[in-house]
Amino acid sequence: MEDREKYTLDDLLFLMERLRDPESGCPWDRKQDFASIAPSTIEEAYEVAEAIETADFEHLREELGDLLFQVVFYAQLGREQGRFDFSRIVDSLAAKLLRRHPHVFPGGSLYADSPGNSVDQSTVRQNWESIKAAERDARGQGGALDGVATGLPALTRAGKLQKRAARVGFDWPDLDRVLDKVEEELSELRQAVAAGDCEHAREELGDLLFSCVNAARHLQAEPEGLLRGCNRKFERRFRAMEDTASRGGRRLSDLSADQLEALWVQAKAGEK
């Protein structure tokens, strides 16, 4: 480790200000605006999630820094436009957390004595959702589905929409009923495909995906995380197929469908 004093948050804010300096700053950083860096923010958030899922904690430290830099960038843009600055972001966040945790901060006071662990987790969750609902009402978002961001990944947004609907009683009573719905949507998809109705088949496939998200919710699982895990599993097995074929002097593209299936079965068996 370098023999120097560690940089602080103030240093980072000053660094960002220097990067955006109209005269001596970085040309790329000066060119950016809220919209142009938003895709990078999403990418950095996914890289944080990946580091956590793979337990790569040294990499996680770096990725968290990259994600923090996104917030600092937005704060600088907000300050330049007279909208907000980093201190306003921190103040709003702290105020919201105090408001949403009355069981820890009585009266919304940061330094009030905590009553201790006298509230169970389910009650905390109910209170949290009630407070969030009151906040949405104050913003004029009184509908059960209001405030679910449209920019979320589709699987994540589907799960959030379903949770909101479930809070007002619109939900299947158990997982078995959800799986019945999955089978129903699959049957409707097969019928549309058999009829050669491609547009209808696409619609039914969307319904099937939505039902699968519902199944994930009833299993208390996050669908994006499940699919990321499935992706990693597919990659691992496919690379094993490539390795096996390569050791035999072959490429996957040279093999028949039956040979590829045999390699896939072998790759699956090799993980057990």
Side-chain angles (χ1 to χ4, degrees):
M1 180 180 292
E2 297 181 31
D3 185 17
R4 61 168 174 78
E5 292 186 7
K6 290 183 173 63
Y7 293 115
T8 67
L9 181 56
D10 287 338
D11 293 326
L12 181 59
L13 293 171
F14 179 66
L15 182 155
M16 185 70 253
E17 184 179 351
R18 288 283 306 276
L19 288 174
R20 289 280 298 178
D21 187 281
E23 301 297 331
S24 60
C26 170
W28 185 89
D29 290 284
R30 292 202 311 264
K31 186 179 180 180
Q32 304 311 306
D33 57 24
F34 286 105
S36 69
I37 64 173
S40 295
T41 307
I42 296 171
E43 181 179 340
E44 296 297 352
Y46 274 112
E47 290 177 357
V48 166
E50 181 179 356
I52 292 172
E53 290 174 354
T54 58
D56 187 351
F57 294 107
E58 182 62 24
H59 193 205
L60 175 61
R61 176 179 59 83
E62 178 183 347
E63 294 300 344
L64 287 170
D66 292 343
L67 187 57
L68 174 60
F69 182 71
Q70 300 295 307
V71 178
V72 169
F73 209 138
Y74 289 123
Q76 177 63 26
L77 292 173
R79 188 169 75 87
E80 292 170 2
Q81 298 177 18
R83 300 176 184 276
F84 54 81
D85 59 11
F86 191 81
S87 65
R88 290 279 301 277
I89 295 173
V90 173
D91 178 69
S92 297
L93 173 61
K96 179 169 65 177
L97 292 174
L98 288 169
R99 185 171 62 249
R100 292 182 179 180
H101 293 83
H103 52 289
V104 179
F105 306 104
S109 174
L110 178 59
Y111 299 104
D113 290 336
S114 173
N117 297 323
S118 58
V119 183
D120 61 56
Q121 186 172 343
S122 62
T123 301
V124 168
R125 184 65 182 175
Q126 291 172 3
N127 290 342
W128 174 276
E129 295 299 343
S130 296
I131 293 168
K132 287 179 65 177
E135 292 171 355
R136 290 194 296 271
D137 286 341
R139 295 193 298 265
Q141 298 176 330
L145 304 183
D146 288 349
V148 180
T150 57
L152 288 170
L155 291 179
T156 298
R157 189 165 192 267
K160 286 184 174 293
L161 291 171
Q162 292 169 5
K163 286 179 183 178
R164 291 284 189 87
R167 287 181 201 141
V168 297
F170 189 69
D171 194 13
W172 297 110
D174 52 50
L175 179 59
D176 284 342
R177 294 290 299 277
V178 177
L179 295 179
D180 288 342
K181 185 63 176 177
V182 170
E183 292 175 357
E184 176 187 326
E185 298 296 352
L186 178 59
S187 176
E188 292 176 359
L189 172 60
R190 290 183 183 279
Q191 292 172 21
V193 171
D197 190 339
C198 192
E199 183 175 350
H200 187 206
R202 293 191 190 102
E203 180 182 351
E204 293 298 343
L205 181 57
D207 292 344
L208 177 59
L209 289 172
F210 194 81
S211 296
C212 288
V213 171
N214 216 343
R217 183 173 61 85
H218 277 259
L219 286 169
Q220 299 181 347
E222 200 277 309
E224 286 282 342
L226 292 178
L227 190 53
R228 285 196 298 271
C230 186
N231 288 341
R232 287 195 299 273
K233 180 171 63 177
F234 177 82
E235 288 181 291
R236 187 173 62 247
R237 291 175 177 176
F238 192 85
R239 294 185 197 283
M241 291 170 61
E242 288 179 319
D243 290 342
T244 301
S246 178
R247 287 195 298 270
R250 300 175 298 174
R251 295 178 301 178
L252 294 184
S253 57
D254 297 329
L255 304 180
S256 67
D258 288 342
Q259 289 172 316
L260 289 171
E261 176 64 20
L263 284 180
W264 178 260
V265 172
Q266 181 180 340
K268 288 179 62 177
E271 294 184 346
K272 296 181 180 179

